[in-house]
Amino acid sequence: MSGLSGVRGMRARVLWVWLALMALAVWGCVRATYVADLSAFLPAAPTGAQRVLMAQLQNGATARVLMIGLRGGEPAQRTDASLRLAEALRGSGLFEAVHNGDHAADATTGEFLFRHRYLLSPAVSAERFTVDGLREGIADTVSLLGTPAGVPLKPLLWRDPTGETARMAEAMLPANAPRSDGGVWVSREQPRALLLATVRADGGDLDGQAQAQALVRTRFAALAAAAPGLTLEMSGPGVFGVESRARIQSEVERLATAGTVAMVALLLVAFGSLRALGIALLPVASGVLAGIVAVDLGFGQVHGMTLGFGTTLIGEAVDYAVYYLVQARAGGHAQWQRSSWPTVRLGLWTSLAGFAALAFSGFAGLAQLGVFSMSGLVAAALTTRYLLPVLAPQGSPGQGLRVALGRVTARLCAVLPVWRRPLLSVTLVAAGLLVVLPSPWRGTLAALSPVSADALALDASLRADLGASEAGTLVAIEAPDEATALQRAEQAGARLDTLVEQGALLGYDSPARLLPSPATQLARRAALPEAALLRERLAQATEGGPLPAQKLAPFIDEVQAQRPLAPVTLAGLKSAAPVLASAVQAQLTPARAGRPWTVLMNLQAPAGASGVDTARLRTALHDLPDTRVVQIGTELDALYAHYLQQARWQAGLGALAVVALLAWHLRSARRLGRVLLPLVASVVLVLAGLTLSGQALGILHLVGLLLVAAVGSNYALFFDHLQAVAELGTAGGSSPGPDADTLASLLMANVTTVVSFGLLATASVPALAAVGQAVAPGALLALALSAAFMPALGRHGRIDRPQTPARLH
């Protein structure tokens, strides 16, 4: 009696410990941070050029650009809507700058530039203020007065006779400025007004990006009420990020709901018992909670894709519950722990060895997936081992389709070995095709993006209208501080000017054109002469000219007023001319998070050329410090290829670990071979199928193949266990048939896995679908091939009937 009380006390302690751990896990899940942007699936860059590129993709100023189109209606309606919308966005505080061609809004910036023109104008030098320099500058300005470009200069003539205002405007004018009509930017080919806004929130702050986009929609809705023919178009990295997050969240919720419903329905039909169903879901719940807590503790946040993958991966956890609840009916929990638990445990170890490869991935998202899966499977297995015997000591209380599933599986075990040689031949042919066909491992980072083709087309259209075509080649410069960064940009610009003169470049963008380095500004300031000297030179320069020297006293006063000015800095621009500061920051990124100041100079290839001559460009810039030529497409492809190759090596090491683990446990080359054969064949056949389908395979397909091996190892080990039992029975003079409960549990586990990953294959997010497309057919093949390559099971003339709890007593 005391022994029975001790057992009950131990069971009660197990239950209370599990409940306490689950309460802590729920608390951890509630406090966890969840994200759904794609930055977690951007790899850490191994080279300097790639590091610069990835930093800009994640947090650079270009990631904060929002392109807006107002389509339809009449031209006057579009103009009015553009002006009103720009005014509303500027006053919201959510945008650093809003450009729409309305220069009246830039009055503050213009005044600041005029007050600092002798520090910022590229024409200012010591020669500029000689007699000849003054004469030439005045002559150029006078010649402009008779042209449309000279109209804004007339009110400033006596204060700025050398035309430094015009020189600054020329230097700051974009190479491909959009067309202006009615005072606002418009498309050259479509009925569309254009706006270009820079969101104040960081590119990685998707909540801030979403808030800014929602404001645009709200303000436009009010305008559209008075002009119903207008429609709103928006694009940019922030729009892609927000839409991708929403799409990922929607897909994860849909897959979680559909997967739960499918799993519940399958288990309910199979068990025929609500109590068994509830118990079967406990290892899954334990695994999901443990996975979320582990990822949050290890990474500080949990990605939505990790939940989407991981929740499906924990579908393997329900296999543990199925194995126990069905197999324990024959001999109770003690018998299951002696005969079946070692096989389940070995399958768990092989799965962990496979998933460990993901934990060391250069992609934070994949590393999260590895940690989620490993911790989740361990929690699910421990729950099955210790909690389920407490709740269901004799296994599932329901009958369900257990007997029918056992008979179906037994029939397959009898039939499939007949096809062993044809299946082996097909596998060898598939392996040969993989050798002779071009490598399918050519996936790209773009393949991870859920952005639709329509969204990409709209982005390209808005970029073309705004003259902001996608950058193909950049000059990236790193520096320890702002002054050095601008000085190095000037040095690079001097080399690029030579290439422009030689026709090797059409043009380039540089922050130093908008904000010269402090050294350059100080040199220009030093060139400003004192009042007496300037007055003397000015009298000589204007002699016989159209501008009398006596009327140019305001000019002399302006020069003297700017002689003591300190150099303009980015911080000064932010407070006095935020519009100009925003333009500078699009090309000059301040230091942050241990990264240096970064200059990005976008290059325009010559007309008719397919691209920039990078070899010539590198030669021109080779001796400049911390200066790199970055080909965006090439660097992204190289970056992804590097990590794909790394992931393949890691997967190979994981496979070797699985083989070593199995060899150590089985201690038989024959048994090791018959366990590995169905796993290798399943992976080869799935890989050949994906290759023949023409898909470009990437890292997530590799993840799927790892899962095929991880899930399939459970089936192969159980069939090996049944084979070993059959061989022992034959050697002892008896010939017991395969246990129907074990066979039924294998089929039930396989069906739940195939269905859950089959649902994942239907995802509209390519990254999610890639895994499902590999695992769903792979898991099915793994079960079939495990049965086919274990022929001894099919030679028995009967199937052992499962014992019921009543017969056990």
Side-chain angles (χ1 to χ4, degrees), residues 780-794:
L780 188 60
L781 282 170
L783 179 68
L785 293 175
S786 295
F789 295 149
M790 302 291 181
L793 295 179

Side-chain angles (χ1 to χ4, degrees), residues 394-773:
Q394 302 301 325
S396 171
Q399 184 75 10
L401 298 179
R402 179 173 56 88
V403 175
L405 291 172
R407 288 173 178 168
V408 170
T409 312
R411 180 61 181 163
L412 292 174
C413 290
V415 172
L416 285 173
V418 177
W419 295 89
R420 182 162 52 119
R421 290 186 178 179
L423 288 172
L424 189 57
S425 299
V426 171
T427 302
L428 292 175
V429 170
L433 288 174
L434 291 177
V435 172
V436 301
L437 290 175
S439 173
W441 300 103
R442 55 183 187 276
T444 63
L445 274 175
L448 298 176
S449 174
V451 179
S452 67
D454 289 342
L456 292 174
L458 174 61
D459 185 80
S461 174
L462 287 171
R463 284 183 181 278
D465 281 347
L466 284 163
S469 57
E470 193 70 44
T473 305
L474 301 171
V475 172
I477 305 171
E478 294 182 339
D481 52 55
E482 176 185 342
T484 306
L486 291 170
Q487 193 166 25
R488 290 178 178 176
E490 291 171 342
Q491 293 169 350
R495 310 288 181 87
L496 296 178
D497 286 336
T498 301
L499 294 179
V500 172
E501 293 172 0
Q502 296 172 352
L505 287 178
L506 179 64
Y508 65 93
D509 298 323
S510 172
R513 288 177 173 170
L514 307 175
L515 179 62
S517 69
T520 297
Q521 294 185 55
L522 289 174
R524 291 172 181 172
R525 189 183 70 178
L528 301 178
E530 295 183 356
L533 180 58
L534 178 58
R535 187 176 294 107
E536 178 184 342
R537 292 177 178 176
L538 195 58
Q540 298 178 47
T542 57
E543 185 176 355
L547 301 182
Q550 60 270 24
K551 287 192 175 182
L552 295 177
F555 168 56
I556 299 174
D557 294 339
E558 293 278 352
V559 171
Q560 302 313 304
Q562 295 191 33
R563 289 187 67 203
L565 291 182
V568 179
T569 63
L570 182 57
L573 285 182
K574 287 181 179 179
S575 59
V579 173
L580 184 60
S582 176
V584 172
Q585 284 188 285
Q587 304 167 44
L588 176 66
T589 304
R592 57 182 299 173
R595 292 193 294 266
W597 283 75
T598 305
V599 174
L600 292 179
M601 305 172 72
N602 185 30
L603 309 180
Q604 290 95 44
S610 58
V612 174
D613 185 345
T614 53
R616 188 173 179 181
L617 184 62
R618 288 190 172 96
T619 300
L621 303 173
H622 76 281
D623 59 336
L624 297 182
D626 297 318
T627 300
R628 302 177 179 90
V629 177
V630 180
Q631 291 179 280
I632 293 178
T634 301
E635 294 293 347
L636 287 177
D637 290 343
L639 182 60
Y640 190 82
H642 169 80
Y643 279 101
L644 178 56
Q645 181 66 20
Q646 185 182 79
R648 291 170 66 183
W649 277 105
Q650 290 170 339
L653 292 175
L656 289 176
V658 170
V659 172
L661 185 63
L662 291 173
W664 177 81
H665 178 83
L666 298 174
R667 301 179 187 278
S668 166
R670 185 166 61 90
R671 292 184 67 187
L672 177 63
R674 71 190 184 194
V675 168
L676 291 179
L677 183 56
L679 300 184
V680 173
S682 300
V683 171
V684 167
L685 290 172
V686 171
L687 182 56
L690 293 172
T691 301
L692 291 174
S693 71
Q695 292 193 53
L697 305 188
I699 286 180
L700 295 174
H701 292 93
L702 181 62
V703 171
L705 295 175
L706 281 174
L707 295 177
V708 170
V711 173
S713 66
N714 293 286
Y715 308 143
L717 287 169
F718 264 113
F719 274 105
D720 173 73
H721 172 71
L722 293 174
Q723 177 98 0
V725 171
E727 291 171 352
L728 286 173
T730 301
S734 63
S735 181
D739 178 25
D741 279 340
T742 300
L743 296 179
S745 66
L746 290 173
L747 185 57
M748 289 170 59
N750 182 258
V751 170
T752 57
T753 298
V754 171
V755 169
S756 60
F757 280 98
L759 287 171
L760 194 65
T762 66
S764 60
V765 178
L768 292 170
V771 176
Q773 291 164 0

Side-chain angles (χ1 to χ4, degrees), residues 47-389:
T47 70
Q50 292 168 355
R51 182 180 69 250
V52 170
L53 182 57
M54 299 311 297
Q56 292 305 309
L57 288 175
Q58 296 178 30
N59 301 304
T62 54
R64 299 185 287 121
V65 170
L66 183 63
M67 297 180 292
I68 303 171
L70 305 178
R71 178 185 289 275
E74 299 297 326
Q77 292 177 319
R78 294 193 295 270
T79 298
D80 182 66
S82 175
L83 295 171
R84 292 177 180 274
L85 181 60
E87 182 181 4
L89 299 184
R90 292 184 186 114
S92 68
L94 298 181
F95 297 87
E96 282 188 357
V98 179
H99 303 281
N100 69 334
D102 179 18
H103 298 296
D106 300 335
T108 302
T109 299
E111 291 173 3
F112 177 84
L113 292 175
F114 189 75
R115 291 197 306 270
H116 295 80
R117 63 189 181 278
Y118 296 114
L119 300 181
L120 302 178
S121 171
V124 173
S125 64
E127 291 75 17
R128 185 69 162 178
F129 289 93
T130 63
V131 174
D132 291 338
L134 290 169
R135 183 182 295 113
E136 181 180 353
I138 292 173
D140 289 342
T141 302
V142 171
S143 66
L144 277 176
L145 294 179
T147 68
V151 173
L153 300 179
K154 290 182 179 179
L156 307 175
L157 179 61
W158 305 113
R159 300 171 63 190
D160 184 23
T162 57
E164 306 310 327
T165 304
R167 303 298 175 270
M168 285 192 299
E170 292 172 0
M172 297 179 179
L173 185 67
N176 299 307
R179 187 171 75 90
S180 182
D181 185 19
V184 300
W185 287 341
V186 297
S187 169
R188 287 180 169 83
E189 299 178 355
Q190 305 180 53
R192 177 167 63 191
L194 304 165
L195 298 92
L196 186 66
T198 302
V199 181
R200 193 174 298 279
D202 191 85
D205 179 7
L206 291 187
D207 289 333
Q209 292 288 327
Q211 182 183 9
Q213 294 166 31
L215 176 71
V216 174
R217 293 187 179 94
T218 301
R219 295 291 187 266
F220 174 78
L223 296 173
L230 292 179
T231 57
L232 175 67
E233 298 172 333
M234 279 197 302
S235 189
V239 174
F240 290 161
V242 172
E243 290 181 353
S244 296
R245 179 177 69 172
R247 193 169 180 182
I248 291 170
Q249 289 176 336
S250 174
E251 282 293 271
V252 168
E253 292 171 1
R254 181 184 71 84
L255 292 170
T257 301
T260 301
V261 170
M263 188 178 299
V264 167
L266 288 171
L267 294 178
L268 186 59
V269 171
F271 287 127
S273 166
L274 288 174
R275 182 167 179 266
L277 171 63
I279 293 173
L281 294 178
L282 294 180
V284 179
S286 301
V288 171
L289 293 176
I292 292 174
V293 171
V295 170
D296 186 60
L297 290 175
F299 298 88
Q301 61 184 21
V302 183
H303 196 279
M305 282 197 184
T306 301
L307 291 177
F309 289 139
T311 303
T312 306
L313 295 176
I314 298 301
E316 187 178 351
V318 82
D319 294 356
Y320 301 150
V322 169
Y323 295 147
Y324 173 78
L325 290 172
V326 175
Q327 295 170 14
R329 289 177 57 85
H333 68 89
Q335 175 65 27
W336 182 84
Q337 289 169 0
R338 286 193 301 272
S339 62
S340 296
W341 169 247
T343 303
V344 173
R345 182 178 57 201
L346 181 57
L348 170 66
W349 282 113
T350 58
S351 296
L352 294 181
F355 290 132
L358 301 181
F360 298 100
S361 171
F363 287 77
L366 295 184
Q368 281 195 22
L369 177 57
V371 171
F372 188 105
S373 302
M374 294 171 67
S375 56
L377 289 177
V378 169
L382 293 177
T383 300
T384 301
R385 169 64 178 80
Y386 293 102
L387 180 65
L388 266 59

